[in-house]
């Protein structure tokens, strides 16, 4: 019967994965997996060259620099050789590896719990763990790494329980194979192992059996270490992996959490040599220490000073990085499979908490079993010190799932936890937790900061419950439970302290809620600034699941716009948005409508009223905030301005925006919800409906034509590249004349102020729109024209430019003029460039920033 149950659960686990692969869109190879795949292709090519008779030394030299990725590269190369170019085969093999990991979870949990029930509970958790399906499509080698690690843990646990040297050697072999596949962390994990053996030597060194087991483990691990030493020696000074974008092995300079201190723990759009940490180091080098950028010792000293100058921020960031590793399941596209994503997050957190409790219980009873959980702990420390996003949690999760299963079975079977005294202790903790959480909900509107403290305290009390249960077991169990519970509490508190979106609220539109209204009161100065601003936008922080607001309407003052006028502003972060068939419009983001100055109130005595109305059947979620300073300060997700956005954050929590704080230029704001059944109802929170004035988002080019003809209409002809979107304004002597599209691949005409602009499109050059422009109108006789083209980027990071081609062919210009109906003399329309230093956004102008929030 147990065998049939295990087989059925494993079959279900494999079926869920294969079904998902065949019935949901899967991403193409990109990022690191594409690099691994290309390494595999290079290895295949090397084998073919060997078979063709080329010397081994020559062939090896061609791939020597890729040997760091030999483990994963060989895996991808062999699978591709079986069925070239078939990523479906790769996914199916990874699904089999996941299924092997599930079996390893069963074996490990059965060993740790001493019962088949523990193994079955853990296996059931593993089968329902969504990441096994939804993340495997990315084609990282993590499924195979996870399988090797959990089986290594099972072998280790068996060796400790049975005193088996052979099982301990097998644990070393399996761990070595896992590390060769994930070579980026090999040296770090080996260092942790050595330090752990040194720290625990007083226990294992005294007993002959302990020394024998440690020796067996090191013997099993040694082949992997020998292979890695050979790889290190062979690669030498080569940097092929670095050129692929893999910076793990030879970083340009010391890197770690300090790089993210000024970006709220995320790399944002920063890359190496662009982050604030490096800029500060570069500035010091230029100020009189040129050896700083060449000396690793000086760089380390600079790093220590940099971190020491920010002690609290550094500590909180390290703790928050460690917390984030296990806070969310790996599910880059937030697939609701096989159950909704919010439930997946709950399951992930429950597994981690119960897994930590299970580990504490097992270690309290047999301390040597702490080695089973060394990898999850080591990865948490690594992420705390280096990575701002959860990069390596997948390989560790089977170990935690097994431990969670152990705890679940022990709770159900141990008599000590069913005793009246144990129930009273648990009630003493559970009752205050429930009361505190309930009060936090009740007072959130009136006392938001107090509600925040109450909520965190209530969560800590809930998290304490499993560790209180462990403490009932005895004195040693109390010590271990206290240490594990305290570690978890510290991480949770650090995350809560750094959370700048704790006050976020949500309003669902489209059902009983017909719309929302925002009233913004402006001072005379603020109103004047909005009137004089070159551009201003009304922004709504919305999630629109279907990406469609066609039937909605926006009312500003007395003017109304259709919902189609609202445009999503998310930058094009392709790898993390569109990949996998996801529409970027469905992510949380700001939807923008350019503010018409005519919609502003006539005077500061009247408020600016903004209403968003949504018909039944249109789904949307509008976010807001409730905190004490909400009328003085905006605190929440950034507006997409540089540098407060990051693609990787979408993979973590589905939102690309970094949290920011901006002073409000308005006097105050009031928000209301409009139900379908009646009048609007004021709420204590404030909607994220804001007016934003962007800065540094205008580009332009100024030039002069050749002198015009003596009298009559004159045709000025020039050629230019333009792109990639939007509109530009043509000006004569700084007087606005007419508007025309940028990036046009088709011919067009525009007119205004007595002038006509005729554009004749040519085939794109270097993928840039190109063509001739013929400007005809009443030019002053015998005088050159002062011309300019100006454009504004709005709230976008996408490039814009208007670049005049001074080397355009004269016959092409003449032909364009004739096609535009000009029969007479034509004049050089771009004889002298006056200022072209700001004609390329964002390279010449800088990316757009926030100049004011209302």
């Amino acid at each position: 019967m147990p065998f049939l149950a295990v087989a059925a659960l494993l079959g279900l686990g494999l079926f869920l994965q294969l079904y998902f692969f065949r019935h949901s869109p899967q991403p193409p190879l990109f990022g690191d997996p594409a690099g691994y795949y290309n390494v595999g292709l290079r290895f295949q090519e090397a084998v073919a060259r060997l078979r063709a008779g080329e010397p081994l030394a020559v062939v090896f030299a061609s791939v020597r620099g890729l040997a760091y990725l030999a483990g994963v590269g060989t895996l991808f190369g062999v699978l591709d050789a079986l069925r070239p170019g078939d990523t479906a085969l790769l996914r199916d093999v990874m699904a089999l590896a996941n299924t092997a990991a599930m079996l390893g979870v069963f074996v490990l949990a059965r060993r740790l719990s001493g019962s088949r029930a523990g193994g079955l509970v853990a296996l059931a958790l593993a089968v329902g763990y969504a990441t096994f399906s939804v993340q495997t499509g990315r084609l990282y080698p993590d499924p195979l790494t996870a399988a090797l690690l959990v089986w290594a843990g099972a072998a280790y646990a068996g060796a400790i329980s049975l005193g088996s040297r052979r099982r301990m050697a097998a644990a070393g072999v399996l761990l070595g194979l896992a590390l060769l596949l994930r070579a980026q962390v090999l040296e770090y994990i080996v260092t942790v192992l050595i330090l752990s053996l040194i720290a625990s030597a007083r226990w294992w060194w005294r007993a002959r059996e302990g020394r024998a087991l440690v020796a067996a483990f090191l013997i099993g691990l040694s082949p992997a270490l020998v292979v890695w030493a050979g790889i290190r020696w062979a690669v030498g000074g080569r940097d092929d992996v670095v050129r692929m974008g893999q910076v793990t092995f030879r970083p340009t300079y010391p890197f770690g959490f300090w790089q993210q201190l000024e970006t709220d723990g995320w790399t944002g759009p920063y890359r190496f040599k662009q982050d604030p940490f490096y800029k500060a180091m570069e500035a010091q080098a230029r100020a009189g220490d040129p050896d700083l950028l060449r000396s690793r010792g000086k760089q380390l000293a600079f790093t220590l000073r940099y971190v020491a100058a920010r002690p609290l921020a550094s500590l909180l960031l390290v703790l928050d990085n460690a917390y984030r590793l296990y806070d969310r399941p790996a599910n880059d596209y937030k697939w609701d499979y096989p159950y909704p994503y919010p439930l997946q997050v709950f399951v992930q957190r429950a597994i981690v908490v119960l897994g930590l409790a299970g580990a504490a219980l097992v270690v309290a009873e047999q301390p040597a079993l702490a080695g089973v959980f060394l990898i999850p702990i080591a990865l948490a420390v690594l992420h705390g010190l280096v990575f701002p996003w959860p990069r390596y949690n997948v390989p560790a999760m089977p170990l935690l799932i097994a431990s969670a299963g152990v705890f679940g079975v022990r709770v159900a079977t141990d008599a000590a936890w069913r005793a009246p005294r144990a129930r009273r202790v648990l009630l003493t903790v559970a009752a205050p937790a429930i009361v505190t959480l309930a009060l936090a909900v009740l007072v959130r509107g009136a006392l938001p900061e107090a509600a925040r403290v109450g909520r965190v305290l209530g969560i800590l009390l809930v998290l304490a419950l499993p560790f209180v249960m462990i403490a009932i077991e005895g004195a040693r169990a109390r010590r271990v439970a206290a240490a594990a519970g305290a570690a978890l509490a510290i991480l949770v508190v650090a995350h809560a302290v750094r959370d700048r979106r704790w006050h976020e609220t949500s309003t669902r539109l489209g059902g009983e809620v017909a719309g929302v209204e925002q009233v913004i009161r402006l001072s005379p100065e603020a109103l004047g600034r909005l009137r004089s601003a070159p551009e201003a936008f009304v922004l709504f922080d919305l999630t629109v699941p279907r990406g469609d607001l066609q039937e909605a309407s926006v009312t500003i003052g007395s003017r109304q716009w259709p919902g189609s006028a609202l445009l999503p502003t998310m930058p094009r972060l392709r790898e993390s948005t569109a990949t996998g068939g996801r529409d970027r419009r469905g992510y949380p983001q700001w939807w923008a409508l350019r503010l018409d100055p005519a919609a502003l109130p006539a005077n500061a005595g009247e408020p600016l009223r903004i209403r968003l109305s949504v018909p039944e059947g249109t789904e949307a979620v509008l976010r807001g905030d409730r905190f004490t300073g909400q009328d003085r300060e905006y605190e929440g997700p950034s507006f997409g301005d540089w540098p407060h956005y990051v693609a990787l954050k979408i993979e973590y929590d589905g939102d690309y925006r970094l949290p920011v704080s901006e002073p409000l230029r308005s006097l105050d704001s009031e928000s209301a919800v409009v139900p379908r059944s009646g009048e609007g109802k004021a709420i204590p929170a404030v909607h994220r409906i804001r007016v934003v004035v962007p800065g540094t988002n205008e580009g332009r080019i100024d030039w002069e034509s050749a002198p015009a003809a003596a009298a009559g209409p004159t045709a000025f002809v020039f050629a230019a590249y333009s792109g990639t979107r939007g509109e530009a304004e043509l000006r004569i002597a700084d007087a606005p004349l007419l508007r025309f599209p940028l990036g046009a691949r088709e011919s067009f005409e525009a007119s205004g102020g007595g002038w006509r602009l005729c554009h004749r499109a040519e085939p794109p050059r270097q993928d840039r729109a190109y063509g001739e422009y013929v400007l005809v109108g009443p030019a002053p006789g015998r005088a050159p024209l002062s011309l300019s083209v100006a454009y504004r980027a709005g709230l976008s990071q996408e490039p814009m430019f208007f670049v005049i081609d001074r080397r355009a062919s004269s016959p092409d210009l003449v032909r364009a003029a004739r096609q535009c109906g000009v029969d007479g003399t034509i004049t050089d329309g771009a004889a002298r460039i006056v200022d072209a230093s700001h004609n390329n956004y964002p390279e010449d102008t800088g990316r757009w920033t926030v100049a004011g929030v209302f």
Side-chain angles (χ1 to χ4, degrees), residues 148-211:
L148 291 169
L149 287 175
V150 73
W151 278 101
Y156 177 90
I160 294 296
S161 300
L162 304 174
S164 170
R165 302 177 189 180
R166 185 166 56 184
R167 289 174 184 262
M168 189 62 79
V173 171
L174 292 170
L175 176 62
L177 290 174
L179 294 180
L180 285 176
L181 276 176
R182 263 303 187 188
Q184 293 95 326
V185 298
L186 185 147
E187 293 179 2
Y188 166 75
I189 295 296
V190 170
T191 301
V192 171
L193 285 172
I194 293 173
L195 293 176
S196 300
L197 288 174
I198 293 173
S200 60
R202 62 174 177 167
W203 290 289
W204 59 262
W205 184 258
R206 295 174 182 174
R208 179 180 178 183
E209 181 182 358
R211 295 194 299 271

Side-chain angles (χ1 to χ4, degrees), residues 383-439:
H383 279 73
L385 295 175
V386 179
F387 294 116
W389 74 94
R391 186 173 183 180
Y392 290 127
N393 73 350
V394 173
M397 286 308 298
L399 296 166
L400 294 176
I401 293 172
S403 181
V406 171
F407 183 81
V409 167
R410 291 290 298 273
V411 167
T413 58
D414 279 20
W417 294 343
R418 297 197 300 271
R421 175 176 171 271
R423 289 198 292 268
R424 286 195 299 270
V425 171
L426 293 177
L427 184 61
T428 303
V429 179
I434 296 171
V435 171
T436 304
L437 290 173
L439 287 176

Side-chain angles (χ1 to χ4, degrees), residues 308-355:
R310 303 159 175 83
L312 182 59
S314 298
L315 176 62
L316 289 175
L317 177 57
V318 167
L319 295 173
D320 199 16
N321 283 348
Y323 170 92
R324 285 199 299 238
L325 174 63
Y326 294 116
D327 178 52
R328 308 285 174 89
N331 184 350
D332 290 350
Y333 309 113
K334 308 296 172 281
W335 299 112
D336 291 325
Y337 181 89
Y339 44 86
Y341 178 73
L343 182 56
Q344 293 177 29
V345 175
F346 174 80
V347 169
Q348 169 78 15
R349 292 171 176 170
I351 286 174
V352 171
V353 173
L354 297 181

Side-chain angles (χ1 to χ4, degrees), residues 254-275:
F255 72 100
F257 69 91
W258 47 87
Q259 287 179 262
Q260 287 84 44
L261 278 172
E262 290 85 0
T263 59
D264 195 51
W266 294 93
T267 55
Y270 298 115
R271 294 295 182 264
F272 287 109
K273 298 188 178 182
Q274 295 297 321
D275 57 75

